[in-house]
Amino acid sequence: MTSATAAGAPPAPAAPKSRKSVTGTRRAVAALFLLPALVLLGALVVYPIGYSVIRSFLDRSGGSFAGVDNYKALFTDDGIRTALKNNIIWVVFAPTVSTALGLVFAVLTERVRWGTAFKLVVFMPMAISMLAAGIIFRLVYDQDPDRGVANAVWVGVHDTFAPSSAFPKAHPGRESPLKPDRGGFLTRTTVHTGEWVALPLVGVAPDQMPKSAKRAVRAAPEPGKVTGTAWQDFTRGKGVGRLGAVDPSEQGYAGMRIEAVKNGRVVASTKAADDGTFALPAAADGAQLRLPASNFREPYNGVDWLGPALVTPAVIGAYVWMWAGFAMVLIAAGLAGVPRELLEAARVDGANEWQVFRRVTVPLLAPVLAVVTVTLMINVLKIFDLVFIIPPGSSQDDANVLALELYRKGFSEDQPGIASAIAVFLLLLVIPVMLFNIRRLRREVRR
C-alpha cells in the first residue's frame, strides 16, 4: 500500500467507457445497421433529386448550360400550362370531395347496423391498382350506352322524361305527297273527311322498326272522319311493290304522331295504330296533316364524359371512387376517439343532429381532416396513372397534368431538360405540403 492510499486520498478515476444509446446499443453498431438503408436512400432518392436539379439547367443534349430556359418553358409551353391549370383543379377538388365523402360515410356508418360491411365495400377500391381502375372507368365512361354504365344510366333517365323516336331516319321517298316542314313533314294538299290519306315514308331499316309494328293496312274511309295510313313504303323495284300503295310486305309506323294543321294552328291530333292506320275527327276537314319533328328525334346518346369539356371532372370522379374509402377509414378511426359525453352534452343542451355534427363533431375531427386532406393533396400532385389511361387520345391533352407532361417531355418528345425542370417544380410544390403535414403530426404527438 502506497503512502497516498494510506493517507486516505481518493482513488484515480477509471478510464472512460464508450457511450451507449438509450436502448443500450453502441452508436457504431446502430450506424452499421442503418448503413444499407442510408445507401439505398442516397441511391434512390438523394442522387435522382440532385441529378434532376443539375439536368434541369442543361440543354436538350445535356452538353451545355441552358440557364433557366427550361424553367421558362414551364410558363410558356401550352401543354405545360394546361397541365398546371389541371393540377390546380385536382388539388382543389379531388382532396376536398374525397375528404367530405369520407367524413359523411364515417359519420353515417356509425348509426347503421351494417356499417362494417358498408365500410368494407367503400374501402375495397383501394385494393385495385390505378391501372385496373383506369381501365374500369374507361369502360364506365364509354360513349356507347350499351357499353358505358354512366351513359346507360344517363340515357335511361333522359328517355324516361323525353323518349327518343323510333323513326329518326324516316323521310319522304320519290313522288311523295309530303314536304319538309319545321323538322317534320307536311302534306302538300289539304285533306277531307271520308277520304283515305296516304302518308308514305322510307329510310327505316326493317330491324329498326318498333317491335309493336304490324303489317300495314289501308284504312277504310269513314264518314265525318279523316282516315289514313302512315307506313314504310318500301318498293324494291319495277314489278315488286307499288309506289305510294300499301303492299302486303310493308309495315305500319306504329305510334307515329299525326297533327291536323289549319292556319298554322293544330286543330286535331292522334297517333297511328300498330298497323299504321289513324283517324282524325271532323275538325281536321280542310286541314293539312303534319308529321311533327318529335317523330324524327335522334336517339339520345348521353354525355360525352371523355370529351374536352368533362374529361378532367370524369377522371377526378374515378380518383374519388378509389380514395374516398381511404379518407373514410382514417376519419372513422379519429371519430372513435371523440368523447361521447361531449356529443350527448350538446344534445342535452338542445342541439339537433346537424348542429352536433357541424359544431362538435367536425371541430373535434379537424386535426384528422387536415391530415387526410394534406395527404391527398400530396397524392394528387403526383397523379399520373388515371390521366394516362382513362382519356382517349383525342382529349388527353385537355386532361393533361404535370406528371403526365413530365413523362411526355422525357420519353415521347425527348426533352429531358424540360422534364427535369417539371420534376423539380413538382418537388417544390410537394415540399411545403409535406412540411405542413409533418408539423401537424408532431404537434399531435406532443399532445
Side-chain angles (χ1 to χ4, degrees), residues 237-326:
K238 188 175 181 180
V240 183
R242 294 167 296 164
L243 186 64
V246 179
D247 297 318
S249 61
E250 296 170 346
Q251 290 182 300
Y253 280 125
M256 176 74 74
R257 185 171 182 80
I258 298 107
E259 297 175 344
V261 181
K262 285 183 180 180
N263 300 320
R265 187 171 61 89
V266 177
V267 295
S269 64
T270 187
K271 284 189 177 181
D274 292 345
D275 58 6
T277 59
F278 64 88
L280 289 164
D285 186 60
Q288 290 177 281
L289 300 191
R290 181 171 65 193
L291 305 178
S294 58
N295 289 314
F296 313 102
R297 186 185 295 119
E298 292 284 344
Y300 181 67
N301 290 321
V303 177
D304 188 8
W305 298 103
L306 299 181
L310 293 176
V311 63
T312 295
V315 181
I316 291 176
Y319 178 89
V320 170
W321 176 77
M322 291 191 67
W323 287 88
F326 167 81

Side-chain angles (χ1 to χ4, degrees), residues 120-167:
L120 179 64
V121 172
V122 175
F123 187 75
M124 196 175 295
M126 284 294 298
I128 303 174
S129 68
M130 286 281 197
L131 175 66
I135 294 172
I136 290 170
F137 274 86
R138 180 71 178 266
L139 295 174
V140 167
Y141 291 133
D142 195 286
Q143 181 69 32
D144 186 356
D146 293 331
R147 296 178 59 190
V149 176
N151 263 344
V153 174
W154 194 268
V155 170
V157 173
H158 175 274
D159 287 351
T160 300
F161 299 98
S164 58
S165 169
F167 319 108

